[in-house]
Protein backbone atom coordinates (compact mmCIF):
# COMPACT_ATOMS: atom_id res chain seq x y z
CA UNK A 1 0.00 0.00 0.00
CA UNK A 2 2.88 2.36 0.75
CA UNK A 3 4.76 1.66 -2.51
CA UNK A 4 1.96 2.89 -4.86
CA UNK A 5 1.60 6.02 -2.69
CA UNK A 6 5.32 6.79 -2.90
CA UNK A 7 5.45 6.07 -6.65
CA UNK A 8 2.46 8.34 -7.25
CA UNK A 9 4.01 11.16 -5.23
CA UNK A 10 7.33 10.82 -7.07
CA UNK A 11 5.57 10.97 -10.45
CA UNK A 12 3.34 13.84 -9.29
CA UNK A 13 6.29 16.03 -8.33
CA UNK A 14 8.23 14.97 -11.41
CA UNK A 15 5.31 15.97 -13.68
CA UNK A 16 4.90 19.31 -11.86
CA UNK A 17 8.62 19.97 -12.40
CA UNK A 18 8.34 18.93 -16.06
CA UNK A 19 5.36 21.20 -16.70
CA UNK A 20 7.11 24.13 -15.02
CA UNK A 21 10.15 23.45 -17.20
CA UNK A 22 7.99 23.63 -20.35
CA UNK A 23 6.60 27.08 -19.50
CA UNK A 24 3.90 28.98 -17.68
CA UNK A 25 0.95 28.85 -20.04
CA UNK A 26 -2.49 28.09 -18.75
CA UNK A 27 -4.46 25.25 -20.32
CA UNK A 28 -6.67 27.68 -22.23
CA UNK A 29 -3.64 29.36 -23.74
CA UNK A 30 -1.83 26.22 -24.85
CA UNK A 31 -1.00 25.58 -28.45
CA UNK A 32 -2.27 22.24 -29.80
CA UNK A 33 1.18 20.63 -29.54
CA UNK A 34 1.52 21.67 -25.89
CA UNK A 35 -1.91 20.26 -25.07
CA UNK A 36 -1.02 16.96 -26.76
CA UNK A 37 2.23 16.75 -24.76
CA UNK A 38 0.31 17.41 -21.54
CA UNK A 39 -2.21 14.66 -22.31
CA UNK A 40 0.56 12.23 -23.28
CA UNK A 41 2.49 12.95 -20.08
CA UNK A 42 -0.58 12.18 -17.98
CA UNK A 43 -1.20 8.95 -19.89
CA UNK A 44 2.45 7.85 -19.63
CA UNK A 45 2.59 8.64 -15.92
CA UNK A 46 -0.56 6.68 -15.12
CA UNK A 47 0.94 3.34 -16.21
CA UNK A 48 3.73 3.07 -13.59
CA UNK A 49 1.36 4.48 -10.96
CA UNK A 50 -1.05 1.61 -11.50
CA UNK A 51 1.38 -1.21 -12.23
CA UNK A 52 3.86 -1.51 -9.34
CA UNK A 53 5.62 -4.37 -11.15
CA UNK A 54 6.79 -1.88 -13.78
CA UNK A 55 9.96 0.03 -12.87
CA UNK A 56 9.37 3.72 -12.19
CA UNK A 57 11.98 4.59 -14.80
CA UNK A 58 9.55 3.29 -17.46
CA UNK A 59 7.37 6.30 -16.65
CA UNK A 60 10.11 8.87 -16.08
CA UNK A 61 12.09 8.24 -19.30
CA UNK A 62 9.09 8.80 -21.62
CA UNK A 63 8.17 11.98 -19.70
CA UNK A 64 11.72 13.30 -20.07
CA UNK A 65 11.57 12.43 -23.78
CA UNK A 66 8.24 14.22 -24.27
CA UNK A 67 9.32 17.32 -22.34
CA UNK A 68 12.67 17.46 -24.16
CA UNK A 69 10.93 17.12 -27.51
CA UNK A 70 8.51 19.93 -26.62
CA UNK A 71 11.33 22.23 -25.50
CA UNK A 72 13.36 21.51 -28.65
CA UNK A 73 10.39 21.99 -30.97
CA UNK A 74 9.32 25.22 -29.26
CA UNK A 75 12.91 26.53 -29.45
CA UNK A 76 13.10 25.66 -33.15
CA UNK A 77 9.70 27.29 -33.68
CA UNK A 78 11.09 30.57 -32.39
CA UNK A 79 13.72 30.49 -35.14
CA UNK A 80 11.72 28.93 -37.98
CA UNK A 81 8.39 30.57 -38.88
CA UNK A 82 7.44 27.71 -41.22
CA UNK A 83 7.79 25.16 -38.44
CA UNK A 84 5.80 27.43 -36.11
CA UNK A 85 3.00 27.67 -38.69
CA UNK A 86 3.07 23.91 -39.27
CA UNK A 87 2.78 23.13 -35.56
CA UNK A 88 0.61 25.99 -34.30
CA UNK A 89 -1.24 27.17 -37.40
CA UNK A 90 -2.15 30.77 -38.17
CA UNK A 91 -4.80 33.13 -36.85
CA UNK A 92 -7.97 33.12 -38.97
CA UNK A 93 -9.91 36.31 -39.64
CA UNK A 94 -13.60 35.86 -38.84
CA UNK A 95 -14.88 39.44 -39.01
CA UNK A 96 -13.58 42.25 -41.20
CA UNK A 97 -15.23 45.69 -41.13
CA UNK A 98 -18.35 44.31 -39.44
CA UNK A 99 -18.83 41.48 -41.97
CA UNK A 100 -18.66 37.86 -40.87
CA UNK A 101 -16.64 35.46 -43.05
CA UNK A 102 -18.95 32.44 -43.22
CA UNK A 103 -16.27 30.29 -44.85
CA UNK A 104 -13.91 30.93 -41.95
CA UNK A 105 -16.70 30.13 -39.49
CA UNK A 106 -17.32 26.79 -41.23
CA UNK A 107 -13.62 25.92 -41.35
CA UNK A 108 -13.32 26.63 -37.61
CA UNK A 109 -16.60 24.81 -36.93
CA UNK A 110 -17.96 27.56 -34.71
CA UNK A 111 -21.52 28.80 -34.68
CA UNK A 112 -22.79 32.34 -34.75
CA UNK A 113 -23.87 31.84 -31.13
CA UNK A 114 -20.29 30.92 -30.16
CA UNK A 115 -18.93 33.96 -31.98
CA UNK A 116 -21.46 36.30 -30.37
CA UNK A 117 -20.66 34.88 -26.93
CA UNK A 118 -16.94 35.50 -27.47
CA UNK A 119 -17.67 39.05 -28.65
CA UNK A 120 -19.87 39.75 -25.62
CA UNK A 121 -17.09 38.51 -23.34
CA UNK A 122 -14.96 41.22 -24.98
CA UNK A 123 -17.73 43.79 -24.29
CA UNK A 124 -18.65 43.99 -27.98
CA UNK A 125 -22.40 43.87 -28.61
CA UNK A 126 -22.61 45.32 -32.12
CA UNK A 127 -20.89 43.56 -35.02
CA UNK A 128 -20.82 46.79 -37.00
CA UNK A 129 -18.27 48.21 -34.55
CA UNK A 130 -15.79 45.39 -35.16
CA UNK A 131 -13.00 46.34 -37.53
CA UNK A 132 -11.24 42.97 -37.23
CA UNK A 133 -11.78 39.77 -35.25
CA UNK A 134 -9.42 36.82 -35.47
CA UNK A 135 -9.45 33.37 -33.95
CA UNK A 136 -5.95 32.95 -32.56
CA UNK A 137 -4.00 29.71 -32.72
CA UNK A 138 -4.76 29.03 -29.05
CA UNK A 139 -8.53 29.22 -29.70
CA UNK A 140 -9.11 32.68 -28.24
CA UNK A 141 -10.80 35.49 -30.13
CA UNK A 142 -8.94 38.77 -30.61
CA UNK A 143 -11.11 41.78 -31.43
CA UNK A 144 -10.16 45.19 -32.78
CA UNK A 145 -13.03 47.64 -32.39
CA UNK A 146 -13.24 50.61 -34.73
CA UNK A 147 -11.60 53.60 -33.02
CA UNK A 148 -14.80 55.65 -33.39
CA UNK A 149 -16.52 53.17 -31.05
CA UNK A 150 -13.92 52.96 -28.30
CA UNK A 151 -14.12 55.05 -25.13
CA UNK A 152 -11.81 58.08 -25.12
CA UNK A 153 -8.60 57.80 -23.16
CA UNK A 154 -6.96 60.47 -21.03
CA UNK A 155 -4.54 61.04 -23.91
CA UNK A 156 -7.42 61.56 -26.35
CA UNK A 157 -8.86 64.23 -24.06
CA UNK A 158 -5.46 65.86 -23.36
CA UNK A 159 -5.72 65.15 -19.65
CA UNK A 160 -2.50 64.72 -17.68
CA UNK A 161 -2.63 61.73 -15.38
CA UNK A 162 0.11 60.84 -12.95
CA UNK A 163 1.36 57.29 -13.39
CA UNK A 164 0.25 54.88 -10.72
CA UNK A 165 2.36 52.19 -9.11
CA UNK A 166 1.30 48.55 -9.23
CA UNK A 167 -0.55 47.26 -6.21
CA UNK A 168 1.59 45.21 -3.83
CA UNK A 169 -0.05 43.52 -0.87
CA UNK A 170 1.51 44.28 2.49
CA UNK A 171 -0.23 41.46 4.35
CA UNK A 172 -0.94 38.08 2.76
CA UNK A 173 -2.64 35.21 4.58
CA UNK A 174 -2.38 37.17 7.85
CA UNK A 175 1.39 37.58 7.59
CA UNK A 176 3.50 40.62 6.79
CA UNK A 177 5.02 40.29 3.31
CA UNK A 178 8.70 41.12 3.11
CA UNK A 179 9.44 42.37 -0.41
CA UNK A 180 13.05 43.44 0.12
Amino acid sequence: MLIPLIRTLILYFFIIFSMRFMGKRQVGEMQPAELVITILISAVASVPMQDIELPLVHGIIPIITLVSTEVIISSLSLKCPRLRTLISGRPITIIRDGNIDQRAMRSLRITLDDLMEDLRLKDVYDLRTVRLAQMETNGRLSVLVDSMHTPPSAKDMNIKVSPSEPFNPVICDGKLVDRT
Side-chain angles (χ1 to χ4, degrees):
M1 181 71 175
L2 191 59
I3 291 174
L5 174 69
I6 292 170
R7 290 169 65 95
T8 301
L9 289 174
I10 289 169
L11 284 168
Y12 171 77
F13 288 112
F14 186 73
I15 291 169
I16 295 290
F17 171 76
S18 298
M19 299 305 287
R20 293 281 311 239
F21 183 71
M22 283 193 328
K24 291 194 172 224
R25 289 189 190 215
Q26 294 177 359
V27 173
E29 297 173 349
M30 286 184 174
Q31 296 294 334
E34 294 169 331
L35 182 60
V36 168
I37 293 291
T38 304
I39 292 168
L40 284 173
I41 287 173
S42 65
V44 165
S46 68
V47 175
M49 269 192 259
Q50 295 170 359
D51 185 2
I52 58 173
E53 300 295 319
L54 194 65
L56 199 55
V57 174
H58 286 251
I60 291 176
I61 298 288
I63 292 171
I64 290 172
T65 304
L66 289 169
V67 170
S68 300
T69 303
E70 168 58 26
V71 169
I72 290 168
I73 288 175
S74 62
S75 297
L76 290 173
S77 293
L78 290 172
K79 296 176 177 133
C80 181
R82 281 189 172 168
L83 180 63
R84 183 173 46 242
T85 301
L86 178 68
I87 291 173
S88 299
R90 287 198 171 143
I92 297 175
T93 300
I94 297 176
I95 302 172
R96 186 178 302 279
D97 298 323
N99 297 314
I100 298 174
D101 183 342
Q102 294 295 330
R103 191 177 318 173
M105 296 274 292
R106 277 192 299 275
S107 74
L108 292 168
R109 293 184 305 280
I110 61 172
T111 66
L112 183 59
D113 292 334
D114 295 333
L115 176 61
M116 294 306 295
E117 178 183 350
D118 284 346
L119 288 171
R120 287 190 301 272
L121 289 170
K122 302 272 185 193
D123 292 326
V124 176
Y125 293 89
D126 187 348
L127 281 173
R128 296 170 293 191
T129 65
V130 178
R131 194 162 135 216
L132 184 73
Q134 290 184 324
M135 187 63 70
E136 301 296 343
T137 58
N138 64 4
R140 291 188 171 205
L141 186 69
S142 295
V143 180
L144 175 64
V145 177
D146 185 46
S147 58
M148 292 299 293
H149 299 283
T150 57
S153 66
K155 182 181 177 185
D156 294 335
M157 299 180 72
N158 293 323
I159 299 173
K160 286 202 172 210
V161 179
S162 59
S164 60
E165 294 296 319
F167 176 78
N168 288 316
V170 178
I171 297 175
C172 184
D173 296 328
K175 295 179 182 158
L176 186 64
V177 177
D178 183 23
R179 299 242 187 235
T180 57

